[in-house]
Amino acid sequence: MTALHGPGVLVVDRGELVSTHPATGAEVGRFPVLDADGLTGRVDRARTAATWWAGLGFTGRRRLLLRWRSLLANRIDELAGLVHAEGGKPIADAVVEIASAIEHVDWAARNARRVLGPRRVRSRLIVAEFAARLEYQPYGVVGVIGPWNYPVLTPVGSIAYALAAGNAVVLKPSEYTPAVGQWLADSFAEVVPEQPVLQVVHGLGDVGAMLCRAGVGKVAFTGSTATARKVMAACAESLTPVLLEAGGKDAMIVDEDADLDAAAEAAVWGALTNAGQTCIGIERVYAVEGIYNDFVAKVVTKAQKLTVGSEPDAHLGPITMPAQLDVIRRHIDDALARGGRAVLGGADAVQPPYVRPTILVDVPEDALAVREETFGPTLTISRVATADAAVTRANAVPYGLGGSVFGKRRAVELAGRLRSGMVAVNSVLSFVGMSTLPFGGVGDSGFGRVHGDDGLREFGRAKSMTVRRGPSLLPAMTFERTPAQVAKIAKAVKIMYGR
Ligand code: NDP
């Protein structure tokens, strides 16, 4: 049945979460909201499933994860359609998002044994009588809490790596994208019907909070910085380890020797893709004096051609979460009130549930649009005297997620100096699809990493083992050592480390 609600308005009807399209209000699905007992039951079942899943070993899990990868690839159009129907995201953006998620499933499945499997580690002369072994054992159940803006890629960025490491997962998707979360769990169950290795639980923020307190082995959270603080506080009660992927305010630097057409194209896409609702979206550009005017003109020319609407092929879809419209409006108004100018869009760009592309210049550095996450299709472009000044300004916010540098001679050096977890040189956002690289932030953008070797290690605890391989020539760890042996130990230390 298709019912109409207010566009994007969240409805909990008789214990069910009602998911609706943010522009049309068309109902996408209904999902039962879990209470505390229900959640405990799910986590208990996940614990049993985790033991079974871990018992399959790396080879068994790899085989099943690669089957899930194939299923996702073959049904990419179906899933993209659902992402569009539930979040309003243009189909093209949904396809690109899902493609990246599939690559992560593939890579995590293929590399888990290499990164996490048991292996020998080199011993040291001072403890040469012992061999050293290391492996990464699963936490058991991992709770994954996800946002709505990339409802496939962000949870899968944790889920794929947690599963490959041998954990079961309980996913709490955003209340704005429960249907996509359910689809992920259902599709996994088609490949792994034996045990509920990937489950989904629905509800509002309080269900996420309950998951933090449900005795899971680890929580992987992706969402806003404000909620990240609450999640960490809740996890602190039971010393549950936590991975926090939080908000951003990413900057792009455009140096004087940059390819301006490429930089403008990347700035427009990096800022406006998914209507700016991207954690690693470009929200600020610092362009050096000599190329500033040309760069701004090119950005405006490209951005003004973009279409906005709920059609599947629009360039920019609606703002998924109605409350975000107020934030975007406030940031634009504040920038203009402080002397900024809109060279595209502006105060009347916010037309719920849409926001038209807005390019702001001459915005002071203390404006909201420069300091706080806007999460909308807006971009500030600021003039700087040098690329070094650009680095200083880019680093002057508490966030530190991604970033971008366009240039030739100094681009890599400048990129290395950005205070961020990731950076793209002569492109934007490209690190998110590079499954070999870790993904995560610093400062208010959180800590811990998904993706890559580090992302796999995030979901396993190091288990260190020493194995005696011979008698100790200089016994240190026994009460039976003699004064002469202790004197020899002291002498050996002076010879080995005293120079
Ligand atoms: P929120 O922080 O509002 O919500 C994230 C998730 O946390 C949702 O599932 C939410 O549930 C849940 N939640 C809410 N309150 C609590 C609580 N007290 N305890 C536990 N869980 C809770 O973020 P959004 O969904 O609005 O996502 C947008 C944010 O996510 C942006 O700041 C963006 O930058 C960030 N993000 C970061 C990424 C990264 O990799 N660093 C990637 C993508 C997005 P409910 O929705 O039901 O309230």
Side-chain angles (χ1 to χ4, degrees):
M1 188 190 75
T2 303
L4 285 181
H5 303 284
V9 173
L10 200 71
V11 183
V12 178
D13 181 19
R14 280 166 291 181
E16 285 186 319
L17 202 56
V18 184
S19 169
T20 58
H21 185 278
T24 64
E27 188 174 314
V28 178
R30 289 175 174 247
F31 304 90
V33 172
L34 229 56
D35 59 14
D37 287 346
L39 185 71
T40 306
R42 294 291 178 91
V43 174
D44 285 347
R45 283 205 289 286
R47 243 176 239 121
T48 307
T51 306
W52 175 81
W53 180 245
L56 295 182
F58 290 105
T59 310
R61 292 196 296 272
R62 173 189 157 124
R63 186 173 55 80
L64 294 172
L65 282 167
L66 291 180
R67 284 206 355 226
W68 189 42
R69 174 217 59 187
S70 304
L71 181 155
L72 294 170
N74 289 321
R75 288 170 46 189
I76 189 168
D77 298 322
E78 176 190 330
L79 182 54
L82 185 61
V83 170
H84 169 70
E86 186 169 57
K89 181 176 291 194
I91 292 281
D93 282 343
V95 167
V96 172
E97 173 187 350
I98 299 164
S100 184
I102 291 168
E103 158 61 18
H104 284 291
V105 176
D106 185 76
W107 191 87
R110 292 180 188 281
N111 287 277
R113 179 198 294 279
R114 174 183 61 80
V115 178
L116 306 174
R119 65 173 186 272
R120 293 179 77 107
V121 177
R122 284 177 70 146
S123 189
R124 297 280 291 168
L125 189 56
I126 195 151
V127 283
E129 68 271 39
F130 303 107
R133 298 185 65 80
L134 172 64
E135 68 177 301
Y136 291 83
Q137 297 181 342
Y139 282 96
V141 182
V142 170
V144 173
I145 302 175
W148 47 266
N149 61 336
Y150 285 80
V152 178
L153 178 57
T154 48
V156 168
S158 292
I159 291 168
Y161 290 79
L163 292 176
N167 304 280
V169 170
V170 177
L171 165 66
K172 151 70 179 87
S174 165
E175 63 207 29
Y176 289 95
T177 52
V180 173
Q182 189 67 53
W183 194 98
L184 291 173
D186 291 348
S187 65
F188 188 81
E190 284 182 38
V191 174
V192 184
E194 295 90 342
Q195 290 278 345
V197 175
L198 171 58
Q199 297 180 74
V200 62
V201 295
H202 296 293
L204 309 186
D206 58 326
V207 174
M210 285 193 294
L211 185 56
C212 298
R213 297 187 171 96
V216 296
K218 181 155 188 166
V219 169
F221 168 84
T222 308
S224 66
T225 303
T227 310
R229 292 185 213 283
K230 293 184 196 166
V231 166
M232 191 166 168
C235 288
E237 293 167 14
S238 53
L239 288 189
T240 301
V242 61
L243 153 72
L244 301 176
E245 299 288 355
K249 190 72 191 173
D250 290 359
M252 174 193 280
I253 294 174
V254 186
D255 204 357
E256 59 196 354
D257 56 356
D259 174 340
L260 287 194
D261 287 312
E265 182 185 339
V268 168
W269 189 75
L272 306 181
T273 181
N274 200 25
Q277 304 165 105
T278 304
C279 54
I280 48 171
I282 300 295
E283 297 209 353
R284 309 173 282 157
V285 176
Y286 296 102
V288 296
E289 185 87 51
I291 50 86
Y292 176 82
N293 288 336
D294 282 353
F295 176 76
V296 171
K298 285 177 190 289
V299 167
V300 171
T301 302
K302 289 178 190 296
Q304 67 191 3
K305 290 184 191 149
L306 301 179
T307 57
V308 181
S310 60
E311 303 77 29
D313 61 349
H315 291 115
L316 277 72
I319 299 303
T320 307
M321 197 169 63
Q324 199 64 30
L325 289 159
D326 296 332
V327 176
I328 300 167
R329 189 184 291 112
R330 194 155 44 82
H331 284 201
I332 296 174
D333 289 350
D334 175 73
L336 299 178
R338 288 169 189 258
R341 284 185 300 123
V343 287
L344 183 68
D348 57 0
V350 181
Q351 297 162 6
Y354 305 104
V355 179
R356 305 196 67 76
T358 292
I359 311 295
L360 300 161
V361 297
D362 300 336
V363 181
E365 290 295 289
D366 58 355
L368 295 173
V370 176
R371 293 203 62 76
E372 293 186 8
E373 187 178 50
T374 308
F375 228 53
T378 67
L379 182 67
T380 64
I381 310 180
S382 305
R383 188 194 305 262
V384 284
T386 63
D388 297 290
V391 171
T392 305
R393 291 221 208 160
N395 288 346
V397 297
Y399 293 108
L401 196 52
S404 164
V405 178
F406 270 78
K408 295 191 180 74
R409 198 172 53 86
R410 296 186 61 203
V412 170
E413 174 228 320
L414 296 167
R417 285 165 51 201
L418 279 183
R419 179 181 166 275
S420 68
M422 295 93 47
V423 62
V425 173
N426 293 327
S427 69
V428 279
L429 281 57
S430 39
F431 41 76
V432 69
M434 187 73 75
S435 47
T436 47
L437 280 178
F439 181 102
V442 303
D444 278 7
S445 295
F447 55 79
R449 294 292 182 264
V450 292
H451 306 174
D453 289 8
D454 298 72
L456 280 168
R457 279 191 210 103
E458 198 72 50
F459 295 104
R461 41 180 152 229
K463 179 70 176 284
S464 302
M465 194 184 288
T466 52
V467 180
R468 182 179 285 284
R469 56 184 173 192
S472 299
L473 294 179
L474 291 177
M477 285 173 267
T478 168
F479 287 121
E480 293 177 19
R481 64 197 168 199
T482 63
Q485 285 169 330
V486 173
K488 278 188 183 163
I489 290 171
K491 193 173 169 192
V493 165
K494 285 175 193 163
I495 293 168
M496 288 169 64
Y497 307 114
R499 279 162 290 153

